[in-house]
Amino acid sequence: MVLDHLSTSWSVFQALFLEAMPFLLIGVALATMARHWLPSGPVLQCLPDHPLLGPLTGAAMGFALPACECGNVPVARQLLASGSPLPTAMGFLFAAPVLNPIVLASTWAAFPDQPWLLWARPAAGLAMALVLSTLLRLQQEVNILVPNLLRERGFHQPAGTGSLLERSAGLIGSSSPVPLPLLPTRRDQSWRLSVLHGVDELVKLSSLLILGCGVAAFLQTTLPRDWLLAVGQAPTLSVLALMLLAVVISVCSSVDAFLALGFASQVTPGALLAFLVLGPVIDVKALGLYGTVFCRSAMVFVALSCSVLVLLAGQWTNALML
Amino acid sequence: MLVHSWSSGRLQLLMAPTFHVLVIGAGFMLLAGSATALMVDQPRRSTPWRAVVLVICTSLLIVLAPPRGSFSMLARYRPPARLDGLAAGFALPPEQRDLVDWVRLLRGTPQPRLFHGEPLRVEGFVLVTATGERHLAQLLVRCCLADATPVRLPVQWPADAPPPEQDQWVRVEGEMELLDTPDGMQPVIIAREVTVIAKPRQPFRT
């Protein structure tokens, strides 16, 4: 029995990890290219810092990157490291997993008979990104970003010397003080060195992804999914249950609509929307990756804020549609 | 690890074919990136050793320990799969319908009794339910095993032979019967002959 449980968790882990790796690789590749070709980030630093225009610009940039949250985090981190304004980077980080062509197409393919989801999902995702960006903008960066990122951000230097997640970033790594990055040189900006940085970054992010996938796989085979769906028609409980399910399942946002299709008829419309909006932004698999951008208190703040916003959106949807 | 998962056929056990090309492409990209990184004549940066060890050990484990999970355990507490959008063999003779065709047919018709007594020949794995019944099941996967949901039918196994083991793949020949139960009309496969078969290369429907 225990062996069955372990081997099933191991299979789910492999499925999650192997499926997420390509998206992580896409994200790291884009971040590496941005680091190489936009060395001092002059373009990124010109992005709007406006509380409304910033997140909207970030969301529009996300539309061009059809990747799930695994791919978004390294790109958002590179945006911040290159000095891009916080609202733009946050808009990208939180809106892009929902607002991209593949996710919208899969939502349409899965729910052609529920057109309201086609606009409600991106609208709720965008609204959440706007509110979160505004809330985070009200705080000092030193209180929300990890020290290494702040250091890189302070220097606005790119293809130089340090890898993106240099030292003590996230959940893994040494917490000992590290020397400041050296000033970039022409030699440092060679494409080979950029690749080296990308590989280093990929190793660090992969280790965090492994931890996230491990926890998600364990929970998937431990928590009976039909218990969560048993509260399907209770307006509030169904929203909460589907939010928990979204966090646990950790499936890629480009296909979660097909998964939701499996229980759409058993749950309230608000719960369905909550699953489709929260899952792409907050899930067990991605929490480790967020640790490379946010400090722990900020991560808790982001997770709680997302949850409250999605709960409100779900409740509001239920009030309108039930 | 990614390329090995593809070349050893394991991807077919883990995820829908749509995603195979992504994994293969990522595998070759990683090989190219690693080769380039090895050629760089620069002192290595300080990658945290714990991250390196974790990634290496996990990659080795994935290569050495193939996925052998229990589909029955995975699917036991999951809601039944929705079958919208799947091609169904409505026009097929009863013996040529697979398990998914049968379930879709029975769910979709207002007159399931029309299929009472029809001969069938279906394949699947043995799913032991929470109440200990042994159903014949297949998994439906949209992305990867994480989203797998079961399609299943209860089976009345032949009385003259022990019922098959959990997760065993079997071919069942028999007929469809519909029983009146307090919960409504309940389809049941009456198994006349049960043959143990090998696990398919891709053991789920997409």
Side-chain angles (χ1 to χ4, degrees):
Chain A
M1 188 67 178
V2 176
L3 270 181
D4 272 353
H5 196 253
L6 279 177
S7 62
T8 306
S9 295
W10 176 242
S11 299
V12 175
F13 167 80
Q14 286 197 36
L16 278 172
F17 182 60
L18 293 178
E19 190 261 334
M21 271 305 288
F23 293 102
L24 184 65
L25 186 62
I26 290 170
V28 171
L30 286 173
T32 302
M33 285 190 279
R35 189 184 184 92
H36 184 70
W37 278 304
L38 297 171
S40 54
V43 177
L44 300 180
Q45 290 159 34
C46 292
L47 292 170
D49 192 22
H50 190 270
L52 184 63
L53 286 180
L56 285 177
T57 306
M61 289 163 64
F63 202 79
L65 175 63
C68 65
E69 63 274 18
C70 304
N72 282 353
V73 175
V75 179
R77 194 183 191 287
Q78 179 58 40
L79 284 175
L80 288 166
S82 302
S84 119
L86 189 75
T88 305
M90 293 298 109
F92 175 84
L93 181 63
F94 296 124
V98 178
L99 273 175
N100 76 60
I102 290 182
V103 172
L104 296 180
S106 69
T107 308
W108 175 77
F111 296 100
D113 55 338
Q114 300 196 53
W116 68 273
L117 262 181
L118 266 184
W119 63 263
R121 186 180 192 190
L126 185 59
M128 187 167 71
L130 285 171
V131 175
L132 280 173
S133 303
T134 306
L135 289 175
L136 290 171
R137 189 172 182 269
L138 294 175
Q139 303 180 44
Q140 291 196 333
E141 289 187 4
V142 70
N143 293 330
I144 54 176
L145 301 179
V146 289
N148 284 334
L149 180 55
L150 277 173
R151 197 177 296 118
E152 287 181 56
R153 188 166 166 75
F155 277 92
H156 301 308
Q157 67 169 7
T161 49
S163 91
L164 283 183
L165 305 179
E166 196 73 68
R167 311 138 213 147
S168 79
L171 303 174
I172 285 186
S174 160
S175 58
S176 59
V178 291
L180 294 176
L182 301 173
L183 289 174
T185 64
R186 293 179 69 83
R187 190 184 178 201
D188 283 338
Q189 293 173 10
S190 73
W191 65 270
R192 287 188 174 186
L193 202 55
S194 293
V195 170
L196 187 62
H197 292 158
V199 171
D200 280 351
E201 184 182 353
L202 189 67
V203 170
K204 293 164 195 164
L205 286 172
S206 299
S207 67
L208 298 171
L209 187 65
I210 286 169
L211 295 179
C213 289
V215 175
F218 175 75
L219 291 175
Q220 279 238 8
T221 47
T222 307
L223 283 182
R225 197 177 289 178
D226 51 0
W227 290 7
L228 292 175
L229 296 175
V231 293
Q233 294 307 314
T236 305
L237 276 180
S238 66
V239 177
L240 288 170
L242 267 283
M243 285 167 61
L244 181 58
L245 188 64
V247 171
V248 168
I249 285 182
S250 302
V251 75
C252 171
S253 62
S254 54
V255 293
D256 60 356
F258 293 110
L259 175 60
L261 184 62
F263 46 76
S265 58
Q266 301 170 47
V267 298
T268 59
L272 186 61
L273 182 66
F275 178 87
L276 293 173
V277 174
L278 184 66
V281 180
I282 299 287
D283 64 42
V284 173
K285 185 178 70 178
L287 281 180
L289 300 179
Y290 279 135
T292 62
V293 176
F294 298 117
C295 61
R296 279 195 190 158
S297 58
M299 265 188 10
V300 172
F301 176 77
V302 166
L304 286 178
S305 304
C306 279
S307 303
V308 170
L309 291 170
V310 171
L311 179 62
L312 289 175
Q315 291 281 57
W316 186 65
T317 306
N318 279 343
L320 281 178
M321 299 188 68
L322 286 181
Chain B
M1 169 190 68
L2 297 174
V3 175
H4 178 266
S5 296
W6 160 64
S7 61
S8 62
R10 287 187 201 169
L11 285 186
Q12 293 187 317
L13 303 173
L14 297 172
M15 64 187 71
T18 316
F19 292 88
H20 290 189
V21 67
L22 272 177
V23 176
I24 298 164
F28 283 109
M29 266 182 75
L30 274 177
L31 283 178
S34 305
T36 309
L38 285 174
M39 287 189 295
V40 174
D41 185 21
Q42 291 283 330
R44 294 291 308 184
R45 310 289 319 166
S46 56
T47 309
W49 64 269
R50 278 176 288 184
V52 175
V53 169
L54 183 61
V55 170
I56 290 176
C57 288
T58 306
S59 303
L60 283 175
L61 267 177
I62 288 177
V63 170
L64 296 175
R68 290 205 180 95
S70 163
F71 278 11
S72 178
M73 176 170 278
L74 187 69
R76 187 172 302 154
Y77 296 108
R78 293 193 175 183
R82 281 282 295 264
L83 303 176
D84 305 354
L86 287 183
F90 287 99
L92 294 172
E95 300 90 337
Q96 290 181 29
R97 292 178 199 140
D98 67 12
L99 188 67
V100 175
D101 291 333
W102 271 108
V103 173
R104 193 169 185 219
L105 203 55
L106 290 163
R107 280 191 203 164
T109 178
Q111 294 284 343
R113 191 164 284 284
L114 290 174
F115 302 103
H116 182 82
E118 285 199 347
L120 55 74
R121 187 169 183 271
V122 288
E123 295 177 355
F125 68 92
V126 177
L127 185 154
V128 179
T129 66
T131 55
E133 295 174 45
R134 287 167 194 270
H135 291 186
L136 189 69
Q138 282 204 352
L139 291 183
L140 182 66
V141 169
R142 302 285 187 180
C143 169
C144 66
L145 276 189
D147 69 66
T149 46
V151 177
R152 62 188 184 184
L153 279 175
V155 180
Q156 195 175 93
W157 302 98
D160 55 352
E165 297 291 319
Q166 169 173 293
D167 289 314
Q168 200 162 45
W169 279 81
V170 291
R171 179 184 303 120
V172 174
E173 294 177 61
E175 63 185 50
M176 177 60 65
E177 188 165 322
L178 285 122
L179 305 176
D180 279 320
T181 68
D183 297 329
M185 199 72 77
Q186 173 76 48
V188 177
I189 297 174
I190 307 296
R192 307 279 181 226
E193 189 177 339
V194 178
T195 313
V196 175
I197 59 173
K199 188 176 185 175
R201 276 176 62 83
Q202 183 186 289
F204 46 73
R205 286 279 298 263
T206 55

